[in-house]
Amino acid sequence: MAHHSWAEPYKIKMVELIKMTSREEREKAIREAGYNTFLLRSEDVYIDLLTDSGVGAMSDQQWAGMMLGDEAYAGSRNFYHLRDTVEEYYSYRYTVPTHQGRGAENILSQILIEPGDFVPGNMYFTTTRLHQELAGATFVDVIIDEAHDPVSEHPFKGNVDFAKLDALVERVGAGHIPYVCIATCVNMAGGQPISLENLRRLRKWCDQHDIMLVHDMTRVAENAYFIQQREHGQQDRSIREIVHEICSLTDAATMSSKKDAMVNIGGFLAMNDPGFYEKACALVVVYEGLHTYGGMAGRDMEALAIGITESVQDDHIRARVGQVEYLGQKLIAGGVPVVQPIGGHAVFLDARRILPHIPQEQFPAQALAAALYEESGVRSMERGVVSAGRDAATGENHMPKLELVRLTIPRRVYTQAHMDVTAEAVFSVMEKAEAIQGLRFTYEPEMLRFFQARFEPVA
Ligand code: F0G
């Protein structure tokens, strides 16, 4: 069969100018930022691959929707449009808007968790785990071992290991497990999908143990694409159908709509159970706003409803993941160690293999992200020991097997030429890898330390 290249299913109507800085300017900027790319000013960045969160390009339809904002305090028409769209595309009956994903995680954790509980999940996410801990639970990683191995080419590294789940029930009892938290396209594993087969089995497992199944659906469309491409019998189904099935296998969901759904801000908590919805409505007014806006403007709910419909289009998702794959393959061809298979939203550089001379205690991925910026103006993010933080009970650093730098691709923002320039920047940094020094903290925040920590070179 002839191979058909993908192309972006859109053309460009408006552009935002970006500019390259000098090496002297970047050296000063990263030093002043304490070697933390989160503390750089966006104006000092050339190609911004820090995150795919809230940085996507909205369509003309979404911008037109912004003009239809009904900014009533209560009962905005855009809320009902959003609620109906969530039910139609994602199957959940009730929607509680929140200002972003972590707002939904806060409400969910407070409602479902009792102090002393355990929440199993397919790898941790930073804000998700913190909200579980603040509510008194302990997070337990039940993802398959392959997910922690950057060179394993398992097609579904987001899968759950049922032996780990069974062992947890054996150890603590099903009564102390309020829910299983399952992420689609697992961020910290490298944007790796869970298979439909694994999820169907998990549904049965949860029913057998009378445990809820909660879905972190931040990147569900990207996960559906990998199912369509890789899973037996799924080739002829649409992304929209697969997304709907994934959601309908779960009881509730938290969503950061700043990713898949291509809006700059927003999120929601969604569920099927009316009693749970009532509790969520009672808490959302405390932390976010009334249950018909929850921290979002009417116009933002409208843009989100439209973004959801665009996010499940087959040609959109093929080009989106295709662009990430393009960068990944280019890096692999150039001999750069990356997490394989290439994920849905980002390419993850393996800092352990790129900087073997820096021990994990000296934050190799943090140092690599800083060096890449200094070299090229490309901004990336550490996803290693700094992001993993400290154990809530012992205060010791978590030492994750994956010590990664994430090159995260915003949706519909950059071109293939930007990917070429990025790959060349990584090649240049690789050539100078031996000269890169480890880092130590000069300031370490207590919670979610990676956002605001500051460092200095060790030597
Ligand atoms: N869950 C996942 C899997 C995420 O990737 C994020 C955010 C959240 C929850 C929290 O959502 O930011 O809207 O409050 N991830 C961003 C990132 C920050 O860069 O990976 P939020």
Side-chain angles (χ1 to χ4, degrees):
M1 208 179 83
H3 174 75
H4 295 285
S5 296
W6 57 269
E8 291 81 358
Y10 53 82
K11 55 187 178 176
I12 295 166
K13 199 190 294 257
M14 188 191 276
V15 298
E16 179 180 343
L17 302 185
I18 53 177
K19 69 175 198 320
M20 187 59 163
T21 46
S22 69
R23 175 174 280 276
E24 291 69 45
E25 286 169 327
R26 293 193 299 276
E27 278 170 4
K28 181 166 177 283
I30 196 71
R31 199 174 345 107
E32 286 178 2
Y35 298 87
N36 185 348
T37 52
F38 276 103
L39 301 179
L40 289 167
R41 288 176 183 230
S42 150
E43 279 177 335
D44 294 331
V45 172
Y46 175 42
I47 298 175
D48 202 348
L49 307 183
L50 181 72
T51 179
D52 61 332
S53 183
V55 291
M58 292 210 294
S59 68
D60 53 354
Q61 297 295 315
Q62 286 178 290
W63 279 107
M66 295 287 278
M67 296 304 292
L68 302 177
D70 170 4
E71 306 304 342
Y73 188 90
S76 162
R77 121 168 70 83
N78 313 116
F79 165 72
Y80 294 102
H81 184 198
L82 172 61
R83 183 196 70 178
D84 293 347
T85 307
V86 169
E87 184 168 14
E88 185 179 344
Y89 285 79
Y90 298 148
S91 84
Y92 306 111
R93 272 178 71 195
Y94 302 104
T95 298
V96 181
T98 56
H99 74 284
Q100 58 183 71
R102 68 199 71 177
E105 291 169 349
N106 173 36
I107 294 171
L108 173 96
S109 305
Q110 288 203 33
I111 293 172
L112 297 182
I113 292 171
E114 296 289 339
D117 280 349
F118 295 83
V119 180
N122 56 348
M123 206 172 266
Y124 85 100
F125 185 71
T126 53
T127 59
T128 318
R129 183 179 64 192
L130 178 62
H131 279 297
Q132 292 162 359
E133 289 173 353
L134 290 173
T138 304
F139 169 79
V140 181
D141 189 10
V142 295
I143 204 165
I144 57 172
D145 287 341
E146 287 87 339
H148 293 279
D149 175 3
V151 299
S152 158
E153 297 204 31
H154 193 293
F156 292 104
K157 285 168 120 175
N159 280 356
V160 163
D161 183 335
F162 287 92
K164 292 182 188 174
L165 267 182
D166 288 334
L168 182 66
V169 170
E170 185 81 4
R171 180 159 70 86
V172 305
H176 291 291
I177 305 173
Y179 61 96
V180 177
C181 179
I182 220 67
T184 33
C185 249
V186 183
N187 191 352
M188 301 304 280
Q192 305 293 326
I194 179 170
S195 74
L196 212 43
E197 189 199 3
N198 193 259
L199 193 57
R200 287 174 180 152
R201 194 174 152 200
L202 182 60
R203 172 75 268 168
K204 287 205 189 99
W205 188 93
C206 287
D207 288 341
Q208 276 160 9
H209 294 85
D210 199 20
I211 293 172
M212 264 181 82
L213 182 50
V214 175
H215 178 201
D216 180 340
M217 62 176 298
T218 297
R219 295 181 184 83
V220 65
E222 289 162 10
N223 198 115
Y225 178 73
F226 288 123
I227 288 175
Q228 184 194 56
Q229 296 300 306
R230 296 177 187 168
E231 194 160 348
H232 181 71
Q234 299 298 318
Q235 282 64 32
D236 296 327
R237 297 180 75 197
S238 66
I239 297 302
R240 184 176 165 176
E241 275 178 277
I242 299 171
V243 163
H244 194 276
E245 180 177 351
I246 293 172
C247 294
S248 62
L249 286 166
T250 65
D251 300 302
T254 55
M255 172 63 153
S256 169
S257 47
K258 303 166 74 173
K259 283 83 164 173
D260 247 15
M262 294 177 286
V263 287
N264 300 122
I265 193 73
F268 56 79
L269 174 62
M271 70 286 280
N272 295 319
D273 179 64
F276 184 15
Y277 176 60
E278 202 179 298
K279 287 183 187 154
C281 288
L283 272 191
V284 77
V285 287
V286 180
Y287 295 104
E288 305 280 324
L290 191 70
H291 61 285
T292 58
Y293 76 88
M296 292 183 77
R299 56 179 172 270
D300 290 328
M301 291 190 281
E302 190 61 27
L304 170 53
I306 297 166
I308 289 170
T309 67
E310 293 176 1
S311 75
V312 299
Q313 302 302 317
D314 282 60
D315 54 0
H316 159 70
I317 203 77
R318 180 168 182 234
R320 190 293 184 270
V321 180
Q323 190 181 39
V324 178
E325 176 80 18
Y326 174 83
L327 174 61
Q329 291 307 332
K330 197 149 184 128
L331 291 172
I332 291 169
V336 179
V338 298
V339 173
Q340 297 200 51
I342 303 301
H345 67 304
V347 180
F348 291 73
L349 309 178
D350 188 348
R352 275 181 196 277
R353 280 183 289 160
I354 296 172
L355 303 175
H357 61 287
I358 302 182
Q360 197 169 19
E361 292 76 11
Q362 293 178 14
F363 317 125
Q366 188 78 32
L368 184 58
L372 179 63
Y373 169 76
E374 225 174 271
E375 178 69 24
S376 63
V378 172
R379 171 154 70 172
S380 58
M381 183 195 291
E382 192 262 11
R383 294 274 79 157
V385 59
V386 180
S387 295
R390 291 179 184 274
D391 186 287
T394 67
E396 293 297 313
N397 278 317
H398 288 291
M399 289 294 195
K401 287 200 180 124
L402 298 176
E403 181 66 27
L404 310 173
V405 168
R406 189 180 72 175
L407 300 168
T408 338
I409 316 299
R411 293 165 187 78
R412 308 194 290 205
V413 170
Y414 290 112
T415 66
Q416 210 151 317
H418 290 113
M419 300 300 107
D420 291 339
V421 170
T422 298
E424 287 161 17
V426 175
F427 299 150
S428 317
V429 142
M430 291 276 291
E431 278 167 22
K432 301 173 187 167
E434 281 170 24
I436 298 173
Q437 295 174 357
L439 299 171
R440 65 172 157 245
F441 279 116
T442 58
Y443 167 60
E444 182 188 353
E446 196 188 329
M447 290 187 281
L448 301 176
R449 64 184 184 180
F450 56 96
F451 282 129
Q452 288 145 345
R454 304 182 72 86
F455 303 85
E456 63 185 9
V458 165

